[in-house]
Amino acid sequence: MSPKKISKGLNREEFIENLSYDSVIFGFNGEQLKILILEYHNTGLFALPGGFVRRNESLDDAVKRGLKERTGLDHIYLEQFHTFGGLKRSDARAMRRILEKNGLDIKDHEWMLDRFLSIAYYALINYEKVVPIPDALSDSINWYAIDELPPLMMDHRQIVATALEVLRNNLEKKLVGMNLLPSKFTMKQLQRVYEVILGEDLRRTTFQRRLLGMNILDRHEKLFQGKAHKAPYLYSFKSSNTDNIKQL
Amino acid sequence: MSPKKISKGLNREEFIENLSYDSVIFGFNGEQLKILILEYHNTGLFALPGGFVRRNESLDDAVKRGLKERTGLDHIYLEQFHTFGGLKRSDARAMRRILEKNGLDIKDHEWMLDRFLSIAYYALINYEKVVPIPDALSDSINWYAIDELPPLMMDHRQIVATALEVLRNNLEKKLVGMNLLPSKFTMKQLQRVYEVILGEDLRRTTFQRRLLGMNILDRHEKLFQGKAHKAPYLYSFKSSNTDNIKQL
DNA sequence: GTATTATTGTAACAAAATGAGACAATAGGA
DNA sequence: TCCTATTGTCTCATTTTGTTACAATAATAC
């Protein structure tokens, strides 16, 4: 979890206590699956973007609010996948260090050192449309390939692992590609999305036949890439599948 | 959610505030899928069994503790499936009524009228092994067929619907039958479990061939039911599948 | 005993989905 | 003009699933 607006006085009464959320924000750069990771000022500590829930806002709204602040995007595909409630997951020492390095009074923020349960969400976004923005306590937010993550705080490594597992299970059901790719894409790009999520190579011909057979794609003009070979068609998801753009 | 040990002084400091859990406890009586529902004293209010999380216990432990109290069973198959965090889900009026009808001082329990986020779990249990026990605020706890539920408090109807949806998705992956049936069962019983969860009839021969083909069942002696037809074999899940008895 | 009945286990064949190659089409480079 | 890498599609083999058929059999009726 990552507190926000501390400098403006993040005060205990405003938020539900002992509760935070964390978000695993997936993007696809055409080749790799990546997620957004925050680095806290002068601490060498890396964490998932997260935040707290206001007393008068719904959980989903809280997460959407945080996501909007980190990515500038509205209407993001969001899915809640697990609540982490272990006793040992919180790390008061790391939290204290983050507060100190940000020049904040520990006494005012003692509640942040307490135990937290955290509700985890994953988001799927169009990588190209985002310029990530760090939060108040962090000096950077960057994309990291899913298999090249820095060491993460607390149980965030576990949260990412669970997110990936759930994403894998939802791959077929939820038309995941729709939310990770630009609106028009080649069959190869779509296949690549499937491959990085499943972590295995797929047979080109079978994949193509299967996806076309599902009757969820529209074919458009060819994409001339300036390469010395046949140009692929561009495809898009049929608009009748728009109901799969779940945005909570 | 359903507070416990109120009479002995359920006090605010002991628990994480604004947070509860609810459990959808599935059982199979050989014919129907059922769940356990509490009825609160003299209120006509029905609810899922639930409770609060102690400050010094993990979320999973809290749910296990509550389940043990309701069913007397240890080592129950448990799966967390969603956290409900809407603003409107709490119902202070109903809560007040429950407290009043139980002769409890509202002032001492004002925190219970506040907003709650609730983490929902489902449990799968062997119907035959359970004698359900109501909690301190309830006068009864009973099995209800999944399609004959009484009107439930707050968003509990939605919680049940989501539980069923998730259970359906997990049916193939998680060897659900193993946890709803006695250790030995006929192919027909197993098929019936699949049918009530999926909500559709399955072809007998295809089902049998597919399940046997999975190589997860051991065949045992025949079961003579005293009926005028061929006796079915009894089956059990191979012990090598014991890792699917997830108990958190 | 013997025929009857309902259900079970399995085989047999058809239909559908998937795996594995092969091949023609083609955009740009040599 | 030929060459190269990639794409779209077809074919045939293999696997999985749908559908029907049928023999085996435990209790009952006679």
Side-chain angles (χ1 to χ4, degrees), chain B residues 29-241:
Chain B
N29 72 347
E31 185 54 36
Q32 288 175 301
L33 193 62
K34 303 205 168 199
I35 64 179
L36 284 177
I37 302 287
L38 288 170
E39 180 171 7
Y40 290 112
H41 286 299
N42 308 318
T43 60
L45 292 170
F46 295 87
L48 292 170
F52 303 119
V53 182
R54 291 185 195 281
R55 296 197 164 275
N56 64 346
E57 83 185 328
S58 78
L59 174 58
D60 287 344
D61 284 347
V63 180
K64 275 190 275 190
R65 180 169 52 78
L67 231 49
K68 163 98 185 180
E69 289 169 14
R70 261 350 97 241
T71 65
L73 297 181
D74 266 323
H75 309 301
I76 287 181
Y77 179 96
L78 246 190
E79 190 120 2
Q80 186 203 297
F81 66 91
H82 195 75
T83 294
F84 293 83
L87 269 181
K88 304 224 182 107
R89 65 178 301 280
S90 300
D91 183 345
R93 257 190 38 199
M95 205 60 214
R96 177 163 310 174
R97 191 142 152 248
I98 291 169
L99 293 170
E100 275 169 6
K101 294 288 183 180
N102 274 278
L104 291 167
D105 189 349
I106 299 283
K107 286 206 195 70
D108 288 351
H109 301 89
E110 205 135 36
W111 62 281
M112 284 196 194
L113 308 180
D114 203 352
R115 169 191 180 189
F116 275 83
L117 291 90
S118 192
I119 299 132
Y121 283 71
Y122 72 80
L124 303 178
I125 68 178
N126 187 331
Y127 186 86
E128 295 167 1
K129 288 200 178 153
V130 171
V131 183
I133 305 155
D135 67 23
L137 294 178
S138 313
D139 53 13
S140 76
I141 181 167
N142 285 111
W143 287 109
Y144 287 84
I146 203 72
D147 50 2
E148 295 166 5
L149 298 180
L152 300 179
M153 277 184 68
M154 298 172 31
D155 57 354
H156 288 195
R157 196 72 191 68
Q158 174 61 45
I159 294 178
V160 172
T162 305
L164 196 56
E165 211 174 289
V166 175
L167 182 60
R168 216 165 264 172
N169 283 331
N170 289 346
L171 182 55
E172 299 295 325
K173 288 189 274 283
K174 307 269 176 84
L175 259 37
V176 165
M178 176 180 259
N179 301 291
L180 284 172
L181 290 168
S183 61
K184 289 185 181 179
F185 47 85
T186 66
M187 194 57 78
K188 181 150 203 111
Q189 288 178 294
L190 183 57
Q191 182 178 341
R192 186 69 195 143
V193 169
Y194 275 65
E195 288 177 335
V196 293
I197 292 176
L198 292 175
E200 60 180 322
D201 288 352
L202 300 175
R203 225 162 288 280
R204 182 181 66 92
T205 55
T206 308
F207 180 80
Q208 177 138 339
R209 179 177 49 187
R210 191 163 63 88
L211 268 285
L212 290 178
M214 289 169 72
N215 220 38
I216 52 172
L217 298 179
D218 281 331
R219 175 178 288 182
H220 303 282
E221 74 281 5
K222 290 187 174 184
L223 170 66
F224 298 93
Q225 298 162 299
K227 300 282 181 58
H229 55 74
K230 189 171 176 179
Y233 286 106
L234 285 169
Y235 298 88
S236 67
F237 285 94
K238 283 192 174 158
S239 52
S240 56
N241 296 111

Side-chain angles (χ1 to χ4, degrees), chain A residues 146-202:
Chain A
I146 203 74
D147 49 2
E148 296 166 4
L149 297 179
L152 300 179
M153 277 183 68
M154 300 174 29
D155 58 355
H156 288 195
R157 195 74 190 69
Q158 174 60 46
I159 294 178
V160 172
T162 305
L164 197 57
E165 213 173 287
V166 175
L167 183 60
R168 217 165 264 170
N169 283 331
N170 288 347
L171 182 55
E172 301 294 326
K173 285 190 275 285
K174 308 268 177 87
L175 260 37
V176 166
M178 177 181 258
N179 300 291
L180 284 172
L181 289 168
S183 60
K184 290 185 180 178
F185 47 85
T186 65
M187 194 57 78
K188 181 151 203 110
Q189 288 178 295
L190 184 56
Q191 182 178 343
R192 187 68 195 145
V193 168
Y194 275 64
E195 288 177 335
V196 294
I197 292 175
L198 292 175
E200 61 180 321
D201 289 352
L202 301 175

Side-chain angles (χ1 to χ4, degrees), chain A residues 96-110:
Chain A
R96 180 164 312 189
R97 194 144 149 245
I98 290 170
L99 292 171
E100 275 169 6
K101 294 289 182 178
N102 274 277
L104 292 167
D105 189 350
I106 300 284
K107 286 206 195 69
D108 289 350
H109 302 89
E110 206 136 33

Side-chain angles (χ1 to χ4, degrees), chain A residues 75-235:
Chain A
H75 310 300
I76 288 180
Y77 179 96
L78 248 190
E79 190 121 1
Q80 187 202 297
F81 66 92
H82 195 75
T83 296
F84 293 83
L87 268 180
K88 304 222 182 110
R89 64 177 302 277
S90 300
D91 183 346
R93 255 190 40 199
M95 206 58 214
R96 180 164 312 189
R97 194 144 149 245
I98 290 170
L99 292 171
E100 275 169 6
K101 294 289 182 178
N102 274 277
L104 292 167
D105 189 350
I106 300 284
K107 286 206 195 69
D108 289 350
H109 302 89
E110 206 136 33
W111 61 282
M112 285 197 194
L113 309 180
D114 203 351
R115 170 192 180 189
F116 276 82
L117 292 89
S118 193
I119 299 132
Y121 283 71
Y122 73 79
L124 304 177
I125 68 178
N126 186 331
Y127 185 86
E128 295 166 0
K129 288 202 179 150
V130 172
V131 183
I133 305 156
D135 69 22
L137 294 178
S138 313
D139 52 14
S140 76
I141 180 166
N142 285 112
W143 288 108
Y144 286 84
I146 203 74
D147 49 2
E148 296 166 4
L149 297 179
L152 300 179
M153 277 183 68
M154 300 174 29
D155 58 355
H156 288 195
R157 195 74 190 69
Q158 174 60 46
I159 294 178
V160 172
T162 305
L164 197 57
E165 213 173 287
V166 175
L167 183 60
R168 217 165 264 170
N169 283 331
N170 288 347
L171 182 55
E172 301 294 326
K173 285 190 275 285
K174 308 268 177 87
L175 260 37
V176 166
M178 177 181 258
N179 300 291
L180 284 172
L181 289 168
S183 60
K184 290 185 180 178
F185 47 85
T186 65
M187 194 57 78
K188 181 151 203 110
Q189 288 178 295
L190 184 56
Q191 182 178 343
R192 187 68 195 145
V193 168
Y194 275 64
E195 288 177 335
V196 294
I197 292 175
L198 292 175
E200 61 180 321
D201 289 352
L202 301 175
R203 221 162 290 282
R204 183 180 66 91
T205 55
T206 308
F207 180 80
Q208 179 138 342
R209 179 177 47 189
R210 192 162 64 87
L211 268 286
L212 290 178
M214 289 171 72
N215 219 37
I216 53 174
L217 298 179
D218 280 331
R219 176 179 287 183
H220 303 282
E221 73 282 5
K222 290 188 175 183
L223 170 66
F224 297 94
Q225 298 161 301
K227 299 280 182 59
H229 56 74
K230 188 172 177 177
Y233 287 106
L234 285 170
Y235 298 89

